[in-house]
Amino acid sequence: MLRVGLLTSGGDCQALNATMRGIVKTLYRQSDEPVEVYGFEDGYQGLIYERYRMMDNRDFSGLLTRGGTVLGTSRTPFKLLDTPEADGVNKVQAMKDTYKKLKLDCLFMLGGNGSTKTANRLSQEGLNVIALPKTIDNDTYGTDMTFGFTSSVEVATRCIDEIHTTASSHGRVFVIEIMGHKVGWIPLYAGVAGGADVILIPEIPYDIENVIRVIEERDKAGSRFTIVVVAEGAISKEEAALPKKEYKKLVAARTTPSVAYDIANEIDKRTGREIRIAVPGHTQRGGTPDAQDRIFATQCGVEAALACLKGKFGVMIAQVNGKMCRVPLEDVAGKLKYVDPKGDLVKEAKALGISFGDE
């Protein structure tokens, strides 16, 4: 008997179900032994507290197009992993005990960076773990792509598209806040795809004077509107020069909802233009996975199942240079994949006339 566990950890995304479908369908088709599947509810919390349900092939039928996660998810911060739960439970030991009690041969973990660090810890504790790179932010180190990313870009791009018509009709400056606290992959891709005039991302500190200049130059050229795409973690050059502790204090003291509002207020004060703010928020995590996400999620699921059947554990399924592969968890856990300020897409966007506020 082959016994496996599944859990989805951290933030949700559109292609979690499609990935689990790929794992289970492949195991049922390729395993020489009968397969038992244990689905843990609400991420690592299910593994800690033995909240699980037996599942079979039928439970994964029709999931290719269904967003979210049928298992539920939650966040179990890695930095608190060795801090007992409120009821005194030792998280790591409890997860190990559940794994051993169910006699699991492998645990499949679908999650982002923090969840992958926990998966690596469990691997170091002796459990057979395979991680799959889930995050809309596309910031998981060691893989070209993460599932959830392209669907999120699609949602964000549609938002920018729809803002264009109202912005041009009323001659307004629109500041659109796109998800991305630490990295700017979604605002970069959606901003280029949506025809933004300015894109501000965490990796490229901006000067507000450059943003103002773009707006004024467009105004002089007869353009009635300007689209400014702002990542949640966009940072000014002055803020980037601060020590990390000082910057965190500055963010904590912010009285506006986010940096997008600060930027909008500055534009208003300096230009007198009519400003509007749009925040698509969690819509970027929701809905149906797009075609690319369905394909990549399926590839990840299949490759994870095959790795399990070959006894290849302690790895994360990845895509490198367009090829599916396995990378050691210890090589990727705790690392982020940032946008390269000198990368091709940034250079091409600048050549097109898109400003990143840095020049």
Side-chain angles (χ1 to χ4, degrees):
M1 179 71 70
L2 175 65
R3 296 180 177 88
V4 302
L6 292 172
L7 66 82
T8 56
S9 176
D12 66 324
C13 77
Q14 296 89 336
L16 284 162
N17 290 324
T19 307
M20 289 190 285
R21 169 185 176 271
I23 294 171
V24 174
K25 287 178 72 70
T26 304
L27 288 177
Y28 271 95
R29 290 184 64 87
Q30 300 297 328
S31 176
D32 294 329
E33 303 172 298
V35 178
E36 281 187 355
V37 178
Y38 296 82
F40 293 99
E41 298 175 347
D42 300 324
Y44 286 115
Q45 291 295 303
L47 190 60
I48 293 168
Y49 289 105
E50 296 186 31
R51 297 202 304 265
Y52 60 85
R53 58 180 184 263
M54 291 287 295
M55 308 177 80
D56 61 32
N57 208 13
R58 293 168 296 181
D59 292 305
F60 297 90
S61 177
L63 293 190
L64 183 63
T65 61
R66 183 173 171 180
T69 166
V70 294
L71 290 179
T73 190
S74 67
R75 299 183 189 276
T76 303
F78 179 77
K79 65 181 180 180
L80 299 177
L81 198 60
D82 290 312
T83 301
E85 291 280 85
D87 57 5
V89 170
N90 180 309
K91 299 183 186 75
V92 175
Q93 189 59 50
M95 288 190 276
K96 290 166 62 177
D97 290 345
T98 301
Y99 181 98
K100 292 174 182 176
K101 179 180 177 179
L102 297 176
K103 299 180 181 179
L104 297 182
D105 297 296
C106 178
L107 174 67
F108 294 100
M109 191 290 299
L110 288 64
N113 295 298
S115 303
T116 301
K117 285 194 285 186
T118 299
N120 184 51
R121 171 68 178 278
L122 294 178
S123 177
Q124 292 171 341
E125 293 283 341
L127 306 190
N128 294 335
V129 182
I130 296 176
L132 297 95
K134 176 278 315 172
T135 172
I136 65 171
D137 293 312
N138 196 37
D139 61 353
T140 299
Y141 189 84
T143 180
D144 298 341
M145 184 74 70
T146 61
F147 53 87
F149 173 61
T150 59
S151 296
S152 181
V153 169
E154 183 67 23
V155 174
T157 301
R158 285 202 304 269
C159 173
I160 298 170
D161 288 346
E162 290 164 4
I163 290 298
H164 256 107
T165 56
T166 185
S168 61
S169 296
H170 290 274
R172 290 170 174 157
V173 175
F174 260 89
V175 177
I176 306 174
E177 181 182 285
I178 300 299
M179 283 187 167
H181 277 295
K182 296 181 179 179
V183 301
W185 292 105
I186 304 174
L188 171 60
Y189 274 66
V192 172
D197 305 298
V198 178
I199 302 173
L200 305 181
I201 60 175
E203 294 90 341
I204 305 177
Y206 69 88
D207 184 335
I208 193 66
E209 296 295 341
N210 293 330
V211 177
I212 300 300
R213 177 176 52 78
V214 171
I215 295 169
E216 291 177 341
E217 287 179 353
R218 284 179 56 78
D219 194 36
K220 289 177 183 178
S223 297
R224 287 169 46 81
F225 69 96
T226 300
I227 302 294
V228 181
V229 167
V230 178
E232 293 170 298
I235 185 170
S236 69
K237 289 184 176 181
E238 294 80 9
E239 291 167 337
L242 294 172
K244 284 187 177 180
K245 287 185 178 179
E246 293 299 316
Y247 175 65
K248 287 183 178 180
K249 287 181 182 178
L250 187 68
V251 172
R254 180 175 283 141
T255 57
T256 56
S258 68
V259 66
Y261 288 80
D262 294 340
I263 291 170
N265 289 336
E266 280 296 313
I267 295 172
D268 180 32
K269 285 191 295 184
R270 292 168 183 255
T271 68
R273 291 290 302 274
E274 192 169 6
I275 314 296
R276 292 291 185 272
I277 299 170
V279 184
H282 283 73
T283 62
Q284 293 164 88
R285 291 190 180 280
T288 301
D290 69 4
Q292 178 57 50
D293 249 348
R294 296 178 201 181
I295 293 168
F296 184 60
T298 299
Q299 288 181 287
C300 284
V302 171
E303 293 295 334
L306 295 177
C308 172
L309 294 173
K310 294 174 182 177
K312 304 296 183 181
F313 305 115
V315 299
M316 182 186 78
I317 303 305
Q319 184 186 80
V320 178
N321 296 324
K323 300 290 186 180
M324 299 302 295
C325 61
R326 299 184 292 267
V327 295
L329 272 172
E330 60 185 5
D331 290 349
V332 299
K335 300 178 182 178
L336 286 176
K337 180 182 68 180
Y338 295 97
V339 172
D340 180 358
K342 297 181 180 179
D344 288 346
L345 187 55
V346 173
K347 289 192 296 184
E348 290 152 2
K350 286 184 174 181
L352 193 65
I354 297 173
S355 171
F356 288 81
D358 59 329
E359 55 186 26

